[in-house]
Amino acid sequence: MTSYWLLPPLLLPLAGVPLTLALRKYPRSQQIAALLVMFAALLSTLTLLRQVLRHTALTLQLGAWPFPFGISLTADLPGTFMLTMSHLVLMAGFLYAAGSTEKVTRYPTFYTLFFALAAGLSGAFLTGDLFNLFVFAEIIVISGAALTANADEPAGVEAAYKYFYISTLAAMFFLLGVGALYAAYGTLNLADLARQIASTPLSPLALAGLAFLAVTFFIKSAAVPFHFWQPDFHAAAPTAISAMLSSLVVKVGVYGFLRLTTLLFPTVSLLKTLLVLVGIAGVVYGGFGAAGTHNAKRMLAYSTLAQIGFILVGLGWGTPFSIAAALVFAFNHALIKAAMLMLAGAMASRAAVKSASFSVVVGVGKYHPFAGILFLLGGMALAGIPPLNGFVSKFLIFWSGLDSANYLSLAVLGLASILTVTYVIRAFMRIWFETNPEAKPKAGDSLLAPALLIALSLVLGIWADPLIVLAQTSAQWLNDPQNYIRWVIGSG
Amino acid sequence: MTESILLLPLLLIVLGLPVVFLLRRMGLTNPKAGWLLSTFPLAAFFILLYAYTLLPHGKPLFFRLPWIPSLGLNFSLYLDGLAALFGLIITGIGALVVLYTGYYFDDAHPTRPTSGETHKSSLEVRFFAYILLFMLAMLGVVLAGDFITMFIFWEGTSISSFLLIGYKYKDEAARKGAFKSLFITGGGGIALLAGCLFVIHLTGSADWNTVIAGRELLTNSPLYPAFFTLIVFGAFTKSAQFPAHIWLPEAMSAPTPASAFLHSATMVKAGIYLLARLNPALGGTDLWFWVLSGFGLITMLAGAYLGSKQNDLKPLLAYSTVSQLGVLVALIAQQSEIAFKALVISILAHALYKSALFMAAGIIDHETGTRDLRQLGGLRKQMPILFAITSIAALSMAGLPPLFGFLAKETLLASATHPGLPPIIDSLFPLTTVLAGALILFQAAILVWGVFLAPPADPKHPPHGHDPRPGFWLPPAIPALLSLLIGITPIEPAFLANFLADSAKAAYGAKVKVSLALWTGINVPLLLSIVAVSLGAALFWQRNRLRAALMTFLPDLTVNRLYDWTLRGLDWLAKTATHLQGGQVRVYLRVIAISAVSLYLLLGGFPPLSLLPSPQWNLHGLNGLRAFSLVIMAVAALSTIFLRRDLFSVLALGVVGLSVAVWMALEPAPDVALVQVVVDILTTVILILGLNAIPRKQRDRANELLHSRRGMTRDWFVAGIFGLAVALTTFTALELRPRESLVSPYYAENAKPMTGAKDIVGAIVVDFRGSDTLIEIMVFGMAGVAIYTLFHFGARKPGEASTQETLQTLPARMPRGIYALPTSPLLHTLAYVMLPLAFLLGATHMMYGHDQPGDGFTAGVIISLAIAMWYIVFGYQETRRKLTWLNRNNLVATGLTLALLNALLGVALGEGFFAPVNYGDRLSLPLPPGFSLSSAFLFEVAICLTVMGAATLMIDNLGRIREDENA
């Protein structure tokens, strides 16, 4: 019955949705309940991770239907790795929301929608079924769009509209892809699909399905040139939410590629080449975009384009080492980006007019030196400067590129890295070094959540081994799709 | 465990950091804090010295802790002569600088530094903390035992140097200088990291021993030029080699203690240390020789030349540092014993005199308020002690006997005239050295002359100042005195000589003999030295003319323009990148469409043409009804594009949906058809309500844009390429897919026995793939909640009354329909009748849906549509008043809770999560035939409740706006 350990990380956020909706008239209890439920979810995820490490993968056939006729939930190490990352950051997000001064966090349905987002993320990393992944992606889209539309920021509605529009497009592609694969193989279960795809030569229909799925995941992970919805959307979202969107939601797309390249279509090398190319485009475009924008949150949103690019390049190189590096990168980036967006938002909440625009937050840091230390540390992490976890990510990616002799793409990554230093330090100097007579001491969003995230980044930068071991083991699991297939089938 | 002693110096500095903050609590003054804090580096100095004496003969101490065992990376420390030389300089000068800092920021003193901001009387915690942080990083660089540990500390020096340069952050020059140094050294850092990884990749280990042992492997590798370039680039940016030197003069906006420490004695030498450290591993190749010699000599000359043009004491000293760094790099290039002897002597000599000079410059600034040669002069009498200190240090810098600097220059000249040098370099090296030596002597002379000896440059405003307290002048006095003592001591200090020999050995890779005797007889170096001194003296004699000429005629040689261009280029690209993000969805859509379809064609390719000739047009199933619905579908679909009013387009879209339903019904898939019908109607209702929420003007404008020529072309294009991709896929699917799917037969076979459902659609939706449904109703529920939140909170204008308030303030009035139109009593009756009927219908759907077409979803939609009718017939307020029991949010919450509990109940009963359980049978309840109280039924109820809640949330909120406007 160990496989029931799979359920709480998914069910707790799911249960949080009706629970907080029912408590909507009692803001205080709603907030406490939300924090408790999310904390319980985090604990259950950590327990699940322990279980997975102890027993190999866990699989649960929902409804106890025999494989492959029902839906399988599968917690293998890579999925649990992503889940752990999500729940850590989600917990921070809930904490930030609880200490936030933004009006939207006091709306009675805020936590309901937030839990829906959390549930979508948890489900996406746990499901072993392609169509099930689709519905979880849907709930992420609707809740993310809803939360952003309700942001204090006036641009929220427009940004949410763009996101929703383009995500609907992605959903259409997703359905087309699922449909094509279902038409070709008559199954939706990932393990079953993988087994069947591997057993016959690739049919044009399977390739069409792959193409649609690739487009879907490119849109979801905000890969250039499918990224257009992202800077607007992530910059306009309420801070607590934008921290989740930029650190976790885009990782669903990355996770999709993880499964596509290792489980479903490990033989299609063209896909990997594409990932490298698109990743590099993201690294370059995101870096320049971040350097060129005039808004701290928007800068961090662009920076996500670049960081996702690094991860996609790692996946594209496709060696176990580079996949491990990409996983470490993804995990660390989630912590760093969430913390940085929270800090940017926290400073915006302390500005004379609530805005993350540099012209407004300039000099606001004068009265908040602690936030400055956090921002500088976070910025160093983002730029890959030791002793923070971002350094570990960067040098693993570099090293894995060297190991697989991808010198050219590595050179681009290296050159683009200097951009990160540039924009991060410029932002730091604008907020904390420059002077602004209009900046007044003012209370704002609580700094607890970003402080915790930065502390974790520091710990993971110094005590980096456990995460790397996890990622390496995950990469080994990914490298052997037969294993995954056996686990899922064996449980059915 | 003697190795672990290497941790101690680092730990001591770390320990100093919390002490700084502790001292602030105690309210100590800056000088006292300086005295106290300087004991930490001082203790570290002695521990290092002690550790050095522990070195077993020729063997370095090596300490390691596993850091990332899975990658074979360690945190390791390493002490040999070279590391000890740098470590002792860092901690020794560091202790003096910390002491000096205390006085530099002392406010009790009557005069204040004017070049900085006025200081608060509180302790300069930040500065002390930064300088200790820097010391930690720098000490780490030289004590590191492997590439990765070294790199970690290396980046630490960049960051702490950024903080120190930007210390007076309100000053724009400080900010710019800080950014510039970080940009350049950070860029170098990335190159260095890549280079290190290459080496680790090749040798399989990061630690110095292995790397040095892997010399053959490394120098013969085809990748050698690549990682050589990367590593050397990193070292050059750090050690300010031309043309990367430009950050150093601007770094002078740092407070003087930082400049004295970082930018003369320590940080800029990190690159030198690295090159010296790697010389045994990577050196000796032609590439190494030419690149290092070339850059070293150019830097040597450029620094000396640029320094001669400066008026400000600190940039003058900074440029002479640049020149000296060039010397050191050029020395590392040579593979001769004498060069490495010169290297270690120069490093020590330079550290001593340059730190003394910087600190003296800081005192001059502090006491007189200026560092500009054009305002100074004649201070000899006012500041005799400082005059003595500065003179000694300057003489050492000029390379005159009997100072230590003389020895440094002699050995340098000796290596410059080494017979082993290849052509070109054998003439260039001595020539450059003589020229640079003359210029440096000239600088030292104008420094001492301009500040102390010459009459005040501006006689109307002669500088005022007097010697500071001993604590302030002691830090520069000690290194200056040492420069003198090492030079004049009659007995050669054997310990020092052996120590330097040991350091040189580590860098050279073989034994080096070092003697510290100044007089080595009349030889070529001495003659060259005399030439250099005479030249320098001549320059000094003509100083005014020379400097005037230098300032007016000769170029600045700065490559700042290159830096500016680089940054401007980056900014331009950045602007362009953000401009690509124009904000218009239609543009985004086009780019995504093109990318997606090309990706589709690239990955999936065109379907093989061999499939084309053989489409089997199966027309025999096409009867009249099918053909009719097909035509309707096509016509309606086209109308959505051509109809000019959005309302009509929406209606046409509804028709498309209904004709799809007809096809479904004929297929026969009555279940799907039924769902399709209700969904289609609901969608149409919601869309129409949504349209009404948009102001008329905006709708008209959008229509206009959509139906313009450009708009139409654009839409045709996007629709066309998407259509192409979809058509290709459909075609391929029809041709290639297996006729039987794997899972369908299973569902058909097991639906009835296992779930009790006759039709497989119901079984799939509620049982086999129930969790999809659960999430989908949650999506629907969240859509309802989202619309509710948006209209009630997010989009509410400030000051606007909430729904509840509006409802309470409005007077009761006669029922009027939507848009406040009067509605007939007949319609009222119909609405009254419809609602209970809908409930009844819904209930049967849920109870018997498992066997018959219809399910919880349909039930929910049917009831919602009946409620929607109330909204239309009775109007918004009236409906709200009448249907008080309709709590929409609670319906969603209840539905979702029920669904989850129902799924969990299966676990509790041991059947599994979401497993079908027939409670009726379990409890043997008497139930009407055809109805079973099962988990499926409960799930249907949950679905119905959620859908009802969500749909009415949408109708309620979308319906409100327009009415408020009319009311």
Side-chain angles (χ1 to χ4, degrees), chain B residues 55-66:
Chain B
L55 288 189
H57 264 285
K59 288 248 176 162
L61 276 182
F62 194 46
F63 167 83
R64 93 174 80 185
L65 271 176

PDB file of all heavy atoms in Angstrom, chain B residues 55-66:
ATOM      1  N   LEU B  55      55.879  23.060   6.783  1.00  0.00           N
ATOM      2  CA  LEU B  55      55.929  22.353   5.503  1.00  0.00           C
ATOM      3  C   LEU B  55      57.063  21.342   5.513  1.00  0.00           C
ATOM      4  O   LEU B  55      58.210  21.699   5.758  1.00  0.00           O
ATOM      5  CB  LEU B  55      56.167  23.344   4.363  1.00  0.00           C
ATOM      6  CG  LEU B  55      55.040  24.267   3.963  1.00  0.00           C
ATOM      7  CD1 LEU B  55      55.407  25.001   2.681  1.00  0.00           C
ATOM      8  CD2 LEU B  55      53.775  23.479   3.765  1.00  0.00           C
ATOM      9  N   PRO B  56      56.750  20.100   5.250  1.00  0.00           N
ATOM     10  CA  PRO B  56      57.836  19.129   5.095  1.00  0.00           C
ATOM     11  C   PRO B  56      58.627  19.520   3.848  1.00  0.00           C
ATOM     12  O   PRO B  56      58.079  20.175   2.959  1.00  0.00           O
ATOM     13  CB  PRO B  56      57.106  17.802   4.902  1.00  0.00           C
ATOM     14  CG  PRO B  56      55.674  18.122   4.704  1.00  0.00           C
ATOM     15  CD  PRO B  56      55.439  19.565   4.946  1.00  0.00           C
ATOM     16  N   HIS B  57      59.869  19.126   3.784  1.00  0.00           N
ATOM     17  CA  HIS B  57      60.747  19.673   2.751  1.00  0.00           C
ATOM     18  C   HIS B  57      60.189  19.541   1.348  1.00  0.00           C
ATOM     19  O   HIS B  57      59.935  18.452   0.854  1.00  0.00           O
ATOM     20  CB  HIS B  57      62.123  19.002   2.805  1.00  0.00           C
ATOM     21  CG  HIS B  57      63.055  19.855   3.609  1.00  0.00           C
ATOM     22  ND1 HIS B  57      63.602  21.014   3.133  1.00  0.00           N
ATOM     23  CD2 HIS B  57      63.491  19.728   4.877  1.00  0.00           C
ATOM     24  CE1 HIS B  57      64.333  21.574   4.062  1.00  0.00           C
ATOM     25  NE2 HIS B  57      64.286  20.812   5.152  1.00  0.00           N
ATOM     26  N   GLY B  58      59.942  20.683   0.735  1.00  0.00           N
ATOM     27  CA  GLY B  58      59.500  20.687  -0.645  1.00  0.00           C
ATOM     28  C   GLY B  58      58.083  20.206  -0.848  1.00  0.00           C
ATOM     29  O   GLY B  58      57.553  20.312  -1.937  1.00  0.00           O
ATOM     30  N   LYS B  59      57.466  19.692   0.204  1.00  0.00           N
ATOM     31  CA  LYS B  59      56.118  19.145   0.013  1.00  0.00           C
ATOM     32  C   LYS B  59      55.089  20.153   0.493  1.00  0.00           C
ATOM     33  O   LYS B  59      55.208  20.670   1.604  1.00  0.00           O
ATOM     34  CB  LYS B  59      55.971  17.865   0.832  1.00  0.00           C
ATOM     35  CG  LYS B  59      56.731  16.694   0.276  1.00  0.00           C
ATOM     36  CD  LYS B  59      55.750  15.665  -0.231  1.00  0.00           C
ATOM     37  CE  LYS B  59      56.487  14.508  -0.879  1.00  0.00           C
ATOM     38  NZ  LYS B  59      55.658  13.338  -0.990  1.00  0.00           N
ATOM     39  N   PRO B  60      54.098  20.409  -0.311  1.00  0.00           N
ATOM     40  CA  PRO B  60      53.053  21.319   0.150  1.00  0.00           C
ATOM     41  C   PRO B  60      52.108  20.649   1.138  1.00  0.00           C
ATOM     42  O   PRO B  60      52.013  19.418   1.180  1.00  0.00           O
ATOM     43  CB  PRO B  60      52.303  21.689  -1.131  1.00  0.00           C
ATOM     44  CG  PRO B  60      52.587  20.589  -2.074  1.00  0.00           C
ATOM     45  CD  PRO B  60      53.890  19.966  -1.683  1.00  0.00           C
ATOM     46  N   LEU B  61      51.456  21.478   1.920  1.00  0.00           N
ATOM     47  CA  LEU B  61      50.383  20.962   2.783  1.00  0.00           C
ATOM     48  C   LEU B  61      49.119  20.905   1.955  1.00  0.00           C
ATOM     49  O   LEU B  61      48.820  21.831   1.192  1.00  0.00           O
ATOM     50  CB  LEU B  61      50.136  21.905   3.957  1.00  0.00           C
ATOM     51  CG  LEU B  61      51.016  21.793   5.191  1.00  0.00           C
ATOM     52  CD1 LEU B  61      50.544  22.802   6.220  1.00  0.00           C
ATOM     53  CD2 LEU B  61      50.952  20.393   5.769  1.00  0.00           C
ATOM     54  N   PHE B  62      48.367  19.854   2.122  1.00  0.00           N
ATOM     55  CA  PHE B  62      47.165  19.707   1.311  1.00  0.00           C
ATOM     56  C   PHE B  62      46.035  19.237   2.196  1.00  0.00           C
ATOM     57  O   PHE B  62      46.103  18.190   2.819  1.00  0.00           O
ATOM     58  CB  PHE B  62      47.448  18.694   0.200  1.00  0.00           C
ATOM     59  CG  PHE B  62      46.416  18.705  -0.884  1.00  0.00           C
ATOM     60  CD1 PHE B  62      45.968  19.897  -1.426  1.00  0.00           C
ATOM     61  CD2 PHE B  62      45.901  17.522  -1.374  1.00  0.00           C
ATOM     62  CE1 PHE B  62      45.017  19.916  -2.432  1.00  0.00           C
ATOM     63  CE2 PHE B  62      44.952  17.531  -2.383  1.00  0.00           C
ATOM     64  CZ  PHE B  62      44.510  18.727  -2.911  1.00  0.00           C
ATOM     65  N   PHE B  63      45.014  20.072   2.260  1.00  0.00           N
ATOM     66  CA  PHE B  63      43.881  19.744   3.122  1.00  0.00           C
ATOM     67  C   PHE B  63      42.656  19.590   2.240  1.00  0.00           C
ATOM     68  O   PHE B  63      42.436  20.394   1.339  1.00  0.00           O
ATOM     69  CB  PHE B  63      43.652  20.883   4.118  1.00  0.00           C
ATOM     70  CG  PHE B  63      42.335  20.805   4.839  1.00  0.00           C
ATOM     71  CD1 PHE B  63      42.199  20.007   5.964  1.00  0.00           C
ATOM     72  CD2 PHE B  63      41.230  21.515   4.372  1.00  0.00           C
ATOM     73  CE1 PHE B  63      40.986  19.929   6.622  1.00  0.00           C
ATOM     74  CE2 PHE B  63      40.015  21.440   5.032  1.00  0.00           C
ATOM     75  CZ  PHE B  63      39.905  20.646   6.155  1.00  0.00           C
ATOM     76  N   ARG B  64      41.882  18.542   2.461  1.00  0.00           N
ATOM     77  CA  ARG B  64      40.677  18.449   1.635  1.00  0.00           C
ATOM     78  C   ARG B  64      39.486  17.913   2.389  1.00  0.00           C
ATOM     79  O   ARG B  64      39.607  17.065   3.262  1.00  0.00           O
ATOM     80  CB  ARG B  64      40.959  17.641   0.375  1.00  0.00           C
ATOM     81  CG  ARG B  64      40.650  16.172   0.466  1.00  0.00           C
ATOM     82  CD  ARG B  64      40.833  15.526  -0.865  1.00  0.00           C
ATOM     83  NE  ARG B  64      42.251  15.269  -1.120  1.00  0.00           N
ATOM     84  CZ  ARG B  64      42.714  14.795  -2.262  1.00  0.00           C
ATOM     85  NH1 ARG B  64      41.913  14.594  -3.264  1.00  0.00           N
ATOM     86  NH2 ARG B  64      43.987  14.540  -2.413  1.00  0.00           N
ATOM     87  N   LEU B  65      38.339  18.492   2.005  1.00  0.00           N
ATOM     88  CA  LEU B  65      37.058  18.029   2.528  1.00  0.00           C
ATOM     89  C   LEU B  65      36.229  17.674   1.304  1.00  0.00           C
ATOM     90  O   LEU B  65      36.226  18.438   0.340  1.00  0.00           O
ATOM     91  CB  LEU B  65      36.341  19.165   3.243  1.00  0.00           C
ATOM     92  CG  LEU B  65      36.566  19.419   4.718  1.00  0.00           C
ATOM     93  CD1 LEU B  65      35.793  20.654   5.124  1.00  0.00           C
ATOM     94  CD2 LEU B  65      36.101  18.228   5.532  1.00  0.00           C
ATOM     95  N   PRO B  66      35.532  16.551   1.307  1.00  0.00           N
ATOM     96  CA  PRO B  66      34.680  16.287   0.148  1.00  0.00           C
ATOM     97  C   PRO B  66      33.568  17.329   0.066  1.00  0.00           C
ATOM     98  O   PRO B  66      32.938  17.624   1.077  1.00  0.00           O
ATOM     99  CB  PRO B  66      34.104  14.890   0.418  1.00  0.00           C
ATOM    100  CG  PRO B  66      34.431  14.565   1.804  1.00  0.00           C
ATOM    101  CD  PRO B  66      35.494  15.491   2.306  1.00  0.00           C
TER     102      PRO B  66
END
